[in-house]
Amino acid sequence: MRQRRSASYGLRVLRIGVASEIKADEYRVALTPAGARELVQKGHDVLVEATAGEGSAFTDADYERAGARIVSVEEAWAESELLLKVKEPIEPEYARLREGLVLFTYLHIAADEPLTRALMESGIAAVAYETVETDDRRLPLLAPMSEIAGRLAPQAAAHFLEKPLGGRGVLLAGTPGVAPGRVVVLGGGIVGYNAAIIALGLGAQVTILERSPDRMRHLDEILSGRVSLLMSSSLQVEESIEKADVVIGAVLIPGARAPKLITRDMLGQIQKGAILVDVAIDQGGCIETARPTTHSDPVYEVDGITHYCVANMPGGVPITSTKALTNATLPYVEAIAEHGLAEAVARDPALALGVNVLDGKITYEAVAEAHGLEYRPLADVLPAGAG
Ligand SMILES: NC(=O)c1ccc[n+]([C@@H]2O[C@H](COP(=O)([O-])OP(=O)(O)OC[C@H]3O[C@@H](n4cnc5c(N)ncnc54)[C@H](O)[C@@H]3O)[C@@H](O)[C@H]2O)c1
């Protein structure tokens, strides 16, 4: 591996690029025109690749009105000092990675060795949205997508509950004199809470099964008796799903595959035509019979039970998802642009945890472990005040 200097990361970033997403079914963009205007007003030069915003209903003219310049794909990658994206670079983009560029995007490289090696070889500074983590262990750049997936889950379930679509034929809201549908949510974290409030809004009767007593106390305070809160156990899961019209899987054990809370045997106890939405599918799913599906082919049936397991649920609502994502990322973009990466990470330990690869070194321990590569603490590679 070549030795590289990190001095340029200390400079104030002036040119901020926004690249189009080329991954299949990805319609989000990493900066809205509103965000572009904030950056332009702070004196930065914003370069947006032509048509990058189209999938989220932003035109090139919208960006130009915000003061950004519309550029080619080559210019967006080659002229930027800080490049904003949504998804990880894919193989056709590897040749564009280069020393001196700070890339800020979702990376998920613990599961992607070719990309990890391409980032190392290029000498780029790769900062991952998903590993930015606050002192109290929150993941501020993942949370907005969990909120959206949670809110979408009851909406999708309500749709597929209709009889012509293979569902039981139950209206979640019920009607005067007829009981509402029953929704069971497994896991009361960000996805689970958001699923519960939308299911309540649709008029359903909602039960949340959660494992953390502290989280349950918090849910009790904020939902004040509007849902049933039950301690999650295998017996409780079995009893709860029997009468459910909809089950939403939303559990997470950080750093691990999701536990299988509903086994294949248990499907026989669920009412035919009920809907299982396994939001945790991106961590392997919490339903044994779940396998990832896409927006174009979202459901399949096992033993008379409809399974909805779309792995990128927020991708179905790119206008909302783009705005929610950029609301969360913009303060970090502003910090990197204002201070340069070295000073920005020295000022903010949450952002420092986002740096996965720098100057050919892996600076995020779990990524190094996942690939059996050497881990170098960020402070060794990028001493505070570098540059
Ligand atoms: N499919 C998608 O498009 C999509 C989008 C966003 C998030 N997700 C996934 O949704 C899942 C949930 O994410 P989150 O942000 O809500 O996580 P979170 O950490 O906020 O919540 C997870 C909750 O599950 C609880 N839990 C763990 N084990 C449990 C068990 N056995 N029984 C009941 N509860 C249990 C935890 O106590 C926690 O409250 C994750 O796997 C996440 O990756 C998927």
Side-chain angles (χ1 to χ4, degrees), residues 146 149 187 189-191 209-210 232 251-252 279 282-283 310-311 313-314:
S146 287
I190 301 178
V191 169
L209 274 64
E210 175 47 68
S232 178
V251 302
L252 176 66
V279 185
D282 60 338
Q283 301 292 328
V310 174
M313 293 175 69

Side-chain angles (χ1 to χ4, degrees), residues 315-355:
V317 287
I319 295 178
T320 306
S321 298
T322 285
K323 290 178 182 170
L325 177 63
T326 58
N327 285 346
T329 55
L330 190 62
Y332 295 98
V333 173
E334 287 175 337
I336 299 171
E338 176 76 11
H339 305 294
L341 185 62
E343 196 186 324
V345 301
R347 285 168 172 248
D348 184 357
L351 180 61
L353 284 168
V355 182

Side-chain angles (χ1 to χ4, degrees), residues 146-201:
S146 287
E147 286 162 352
I148 290 173
R151 287 172 184 226
L152 268 175
Q155 188 174 310
H159 177 64
F160 287 109
L161 261 183
E162 291 178 24
K163 190 77 179 168
L165 296 167
R168 292 195 70 221
V170 166
L171 180 63
L172 281 181
T175 190
V178 182
R182 294 170 201 253
V183 174
V184 172
V185 182
L186 306 175
I190 301 178
V191 169
Y193 165 71
N194 280 278
I197 54 171
I198 296 301
L200 282 174

Side-chain angles (χ1 to χ4, degrees), residues 355-368:
V355 182
N356 279 222
V357 179
L358 183 73
D359 279 353
K361 318 286 186 317
I362 298 185
T363 53
Y364 195 82
E365 199 166 4
V367 170

